[in-house]
């Protein structure tokens, strides 16, 4: 039987056909629809209803509304398999979620919402394969770091146009907290203007920012075409977030960190098609048949404050953590007990060690600005796992000692693309064999090295790229200049990533092409360059 959490569900079909005319001042679905967190028997549906013209996001205005959802086996809604009703009001910013269960595994469905005579846009979603299914392959779009003012979200448009994806994996920074012309642009090359114009600090601020993102046509296209699997990073809160604060938070002047963090989390769970997971965070696990498990981490809610640059004693301190004890134990246990061929780990910050000390001095400042860390003494990025080496060593040693194969880390955050082998000891690589591999996708729009330097792509960056690769042999490839997305395909033989780059992030009609393709053959824990991109 089909069921939905917080909704009254029924198997009786509703009338299909064209949308009914909206009353002049009646409800509207201005922010589109979305789905997420696919399960073998269900999926989470999302929308936001605007009950009256003045009931805009964050306003607190507008009365309660009953919203009906319906799911169909066909795009024309002739074969409706389930329906339900959800009540929403200003306390939830008039957002709606229905956690629908009882659906068939590995099946495409269409869904929509209705309220007061208005129909939402229709959208497509897809359930996960059955837990014991021998799934032939999985294919995911992979994105990260979408700063609204820095460009257009053409990456989402290109992913929306694909019919071969099971879902889109968003690795964090779905929104940015900065005000108009704030970091990293600082008034340079602003393509469009965020709302609110001020930095997001209050619950109303975060709601407005999320609402603006959902009005973007490319965002709406992506959500209409595919379910989203999302996790947060720091900018859903503030730059370089840790458990007790953030680099971009001034205690007192911007209220308390506890209040700001609470507001950001509430708005996130209201506006994103994500289930609230353990302890009100985004760490959770999804399974896709016998082929793959996906472990999604929260590396902001439990971490200790970032160390100072170059403070080796602090970054190696075993009492400091990036995951928190409970989450690290959960991850290790899940990796050990997994019966899937592949173990994918969504980690919002890079786990492979990378030393930047070999980069020429004139590029260290711009690189530090790109990474959002102090410019003096740059050696490692302490916001990544490099700043919490004891947790990393414990996790990677666990993979080695337990002989856990086919672990693939999927990463965003740093606005650069990397393809990494992940050894326990980078200093003795390749003699010290890697225990995992890592695909790092670049940003959708957020500044990278050529943006910071205001130079043409693939010019100055080539020097920095060569220096990083020379000093870090396990870094098989990197791109410091491009914007774009990844497409990850997994089958029994290999995990393959195509790195797509955009022609121009400031162009609404930007084209995309594959810059490089890497794969890790099953059982090897090593990357190799692929012969070419995946076929579509």
């Amino acid at each position: 039987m089909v069921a939905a959490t917080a909704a009254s569900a029924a198997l009786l079909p509703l009338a299909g056909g064209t949308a009914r005319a909206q009353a002049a001042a009646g409800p509207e679905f201005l922010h589109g629809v979305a789905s997420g967190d696919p399960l073998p028997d269900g999926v989470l549906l999302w929308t936001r209803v605007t009950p009256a013209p003045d009931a805009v996001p964050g306003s607190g205005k507008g009365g309660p509304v009953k919203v009906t959802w319906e799911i169909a086996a066909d795009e024309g809604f002739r074969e409706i398999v389930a329906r339900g009703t959800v009540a929403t009001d200003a306390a939830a910013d008039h957002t709606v979620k229905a956690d629908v269960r009882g659906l068939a595994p590995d099946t495409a469905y269409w869904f929509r919402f209705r309220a007061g005579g208005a129909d939402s846009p229709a959208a497509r979603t897809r359930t996960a394969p059955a837990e014991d299914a021998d799934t032939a392959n999985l294919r995911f779009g992979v994105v990260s770091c979408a700063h609204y003012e820095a460009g257009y979200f053409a990456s989402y448009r290109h992913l929306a146009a694909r019919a071969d994806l099971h879902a889109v994996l968003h690795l964090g920074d779905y929104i940015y907290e900065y005000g108009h012309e704030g970091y990293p642009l600082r008034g340079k090359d602003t393509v469009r203007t965020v709302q609110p114009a001020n930095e997001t600090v209050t619950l109303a601020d975060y709601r407005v920012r999320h609402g603006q993102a959902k009005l973007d046509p490319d965002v709406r296209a992506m959500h209409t075409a595919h379910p989203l699997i999302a996790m947060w990073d720091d900018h859903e809160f503030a730059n370089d977030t840790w458990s007790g604060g953030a680099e971009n938070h001034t205690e007192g002047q911007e209220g308390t960190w506890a209040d700001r963090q609470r507001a950001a989390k509430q708005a996130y769970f209201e506006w994103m098609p994500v289930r609230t997971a353990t302890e009100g965070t985004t760490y959770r696990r999804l399974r896709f048949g016998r082929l793959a498990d996906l472990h999604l981490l929260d590396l902001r809610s439990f971490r200790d404050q970032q160390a100072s640059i170059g403070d080796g004693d602090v970054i190696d301190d075993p009492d400091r953590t990036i995951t928190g004890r409970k989450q690290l134990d959960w991850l290790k246990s899940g990796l050990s007990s997994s019966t899937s061929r592949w173990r994918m780990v969504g980690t919002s910050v890079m786990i492979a060690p990378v030393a930047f000390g070999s980069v020429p001095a004139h590029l260290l400042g711009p690189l530090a600005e790109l990474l959002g860390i102090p410019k003096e003494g740059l050696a490692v990025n302490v916001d990544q796992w490099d700043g919490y080496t004891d947790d990393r060593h414990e996790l990677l040693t666990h993979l080695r000692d337990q002989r856990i194969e086919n672990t693939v880390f999927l990463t965003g955050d740093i606005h650069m693309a990397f393809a990494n082998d992940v050894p326990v000891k980078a200093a003795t690589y390749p003699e010290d064999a890697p225990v995992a591999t890592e695909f790092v996708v670049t940003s959708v729009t957020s500044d990278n090295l050529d943006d910071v330097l205001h130079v043409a792509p693939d010019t100055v960056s080539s020097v920095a790229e060569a220096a990083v690769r020379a000093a870090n042999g396990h870094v098989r490839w990197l791109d410091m200049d491009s914007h774009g997305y990844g497409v990850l395909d997994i089958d029994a033989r290999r995990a393959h990533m195509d790195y797509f780059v955009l022609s121009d992030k400031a162009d609404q009609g930007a084209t995309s092409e594959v810059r490089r393709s890497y794969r890790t053959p099953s059982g090897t824990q090593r990357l190799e360059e692929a012969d070419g991109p995946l076929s579509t």
Side-chain angles (χ1 to χ4, degrees):
M1 178 179 178
V2 177
T5 303
S8 58
L11 291 174
L12 297 176
L14 295 176
T18 59
R20 292 168 289 181
Q22 296 179 359
E28 294 182 276
F29 294 94
L30 302 176
H31 295 85
V33 300
S35 65
D37 280 2
L39 301 173
D41 68 336
V43 69
L44 186 70
L45 308 182
W46 177 94
T47 192
R48 200 264 181 181
V49 61
T50 303
D54 63 343
V56 296
S59 68
K61 297 180 180 180
V65 185
K66 288 187 177 180
V67 179
T68 297
W69 56 265
E70 54 187 8
I71 296 181
D74 66 304
E75 187 175 358
F77 287 85
R78 291 177 293 273
E79 186 183 346
I80 295 173
V81 300
R83 71 173 180 179
T85 300
V86 181
T88 186
D89 56 25
D93 208 21
H94 289 100
T95 58
V96 175
K97 285 185 176 180
D99 197 350
V100 182
R101 304 297 172 91
L103 302 175
D106 202 13
T107 301
Y109 290 96
W110 289 81
F111 67 96
R112 64 186 176 188
F113 296 85
R114 288 176 165 173
D119 283 3
S120 76
R124 178 185 175 276
T125 191
R126 183 172 180 171
T127 53
E131 289 194 2
D132 60 350
D134 290 319
T135 304
N137 85 299
L138 294 166
R139 189 169 289 187
F140 300 96
V142 188
V143 289
S144 178
C145 303
H147 185 12
Y148 188 88
E149 292 205 332
Y152 294 102
F153 299 154
S155 292
Y156 297 161
R157 173 170 52 83
H158 287 289
L159 291 173
R162 299 182 66 122
D164 58 342
L165 302 181
H166 289 77
V168 173
L169 175 60
H170 203 297
L171 295 167
D173 296 344
Y174 184 95
I175 63 166
Y176 276 68
E177 84 279 16
Y178 296 106
H180 177 50
E181 297 188 340
Y183 172 89
L185 299 169
R186 297 189 177 91
K188 302 175 182 178
D189 301 328
T190 301
V191 176
R192 47 189 181 164
T193 302
V194 291
Q195 296 175 352
N198 56 279
E199 185 174 319
T200 55
V201 176
T202 67
L203 176 58
D205 291 339
Y206 285 105
R207 285 170 164 175
V208 171
R209 190 66 57 86
H210 275 285
Q212 183 184 40
K214 289 296 195 296
L215 291 174
D216 180 273
D218 296 327
V219 171
R220 294 183 61 172
M222 175 182 67
H223 286 303
T224 298
H226 309 295
L228 190 75
I229 301 169
M231 52 192 283
W232 59 46
D233 192 26
D234 54 340
H235 292 292
E236 284 88 353
F237 304 89
N239 184 56
D240 285 359
T241 293
W242 57 284
S243 59
E247 179 275 333
N248 191 33
H249 177 76
T250 304
E251 194 74 9
Q253 182 179 329
E254 295 178 309
T256 68
W257 174 249
D259 286 344
R260 184 173 183 176
Q261 183 185 53
R262 189 180 305 113
K265 287 187 175 184
Q266 180 176 334
Y268 186 90
F269 284 119
E270 288 171 346
W271 280 88
M272 297 293 289
V274 171
R275 292 186 185 89
T276 306
T278 307
E279 300 180 67
T281 79
T282 55
Y283 84 78
R284 62 202 189 280
R285 185 178 295 119
L286 298 172
R287 181 178 172 92
F288 296 87
R290 295 180 180 178
L291 187 56
D293 292 331
L294 174 58
H295 312 259
L296 299 160
L297 303 184
D298 175 358
L299 299 182
R300 296 296 169 182
S301 295
F302 310 106
R303 70 158 71 196
D304 289 306
Q305 187 172 10
Q306 295 86 346
S308 299
I309 301 298
D311 195 340
D313 293 337
V314 174
I315 65 175
D316 294 336
D317 186 346
D319 291 331
R320 296 181 69 255
T321 183
I322 189 172
T323 60
R325 183 75 258 164
K326 184 176 180 179
Q327 183 178 197
L328 185 56
D329 288 343
W330 168 87
L331 176 60
K332 290 167 57 182
S333 175
L335 293 170
S336 296
S337 61
S338 172
T339 58
S340 296
R341 165 85 60 170
W342 294 93
R343 295 150 189 85
M344 300 183 292
V345 181
T347 169
S348 57
V349 296
M350 189 156 64
I351 192 167
V354 175
F356 295 98
S358 59
V359 174
H362 70 284
L363 294 179
L364 285 177
L367 188 57
E369 183 174 353
L370 169 63
L371 298 173
I373 56 180
K375 298 180 182 180
E376 62 278 2
L378 173 65
V380 299
N381 183 351
V382 294
D383 189 54
Q384 298 177 173
W385 290 76
D386 272 327
Y388 304 85
T389 59
D390 193 73
D391 274 3
R392 179 173 63 194
H393 185 266
E394 180 177 339
L395 176 58
L396 298 184
T397 301
H398 178 74
L399 294 177
R400 182 193 64 194
D401 294 349
Q402 297 296 313
R403 298 190 172 121
I404 299 171
E405 295 187 337
N406 295 346
T407 300
V408 178
F409 292 95
L410 304 170
T411 308
D413 177 65
I414 56 174
H415 315 169
M416 295 181 276
F418 280 75
N420 301 322
D421 287 342
V422 184
V424 176
K425 295 181 180 179
T428 54
Y429 172 91
E431 290 77 15
D432 183 44
V435 295
T437 54
E438 181 177 33
F439 297 119
V440 183
V441 296
T442 187
S443 64
V444 172
T445 59
S446 302
D447 278 12
N448 45 30
L449 192 57
D450 62 319
D451 299 318
V452 172
L453 291 170
H454 292 274
V455 297
D458 304 316
T459 54
V460 175
S461 62
S462 61
V463 177
E465 291 167 356
V468 170
R469 285 206 58 198
N472 301 272
H474 57 284
V475 175
R476 306 301 303 278
W477 173 74
L478 77 157
D479 178 354
M480 290 185 170
D481 282 347
S482 299
H483 302 280
Y485 57 97
V487 173
L488 174 71
D489 187 275
I490 297 175
D491 63 20
R493 299 171 293 113
R494 86 293 179 268
H496 175 118
M497 178 71 87
D498 285 338
Y499 292 88
F500 283 82
V501 300
L502 298 177
S503 58
D504 183 357
K505 67 173 183 175
D507 178 7
Q508 283 186 286
T511 59
S512 71
E513 63 180 11
V514 176
R515 169 64 57 89
R516 197 65 65 94
S517 299
Y518 275 84
R519 66 188 176 203
T520 174
S522 179
T524 68
Q525 285 66 251
R526 291 182 184 273
L527 286 176
E528 60 185 28
E529 188 170 358
D531 297 333
L534 302 163
S535 64
T536 57

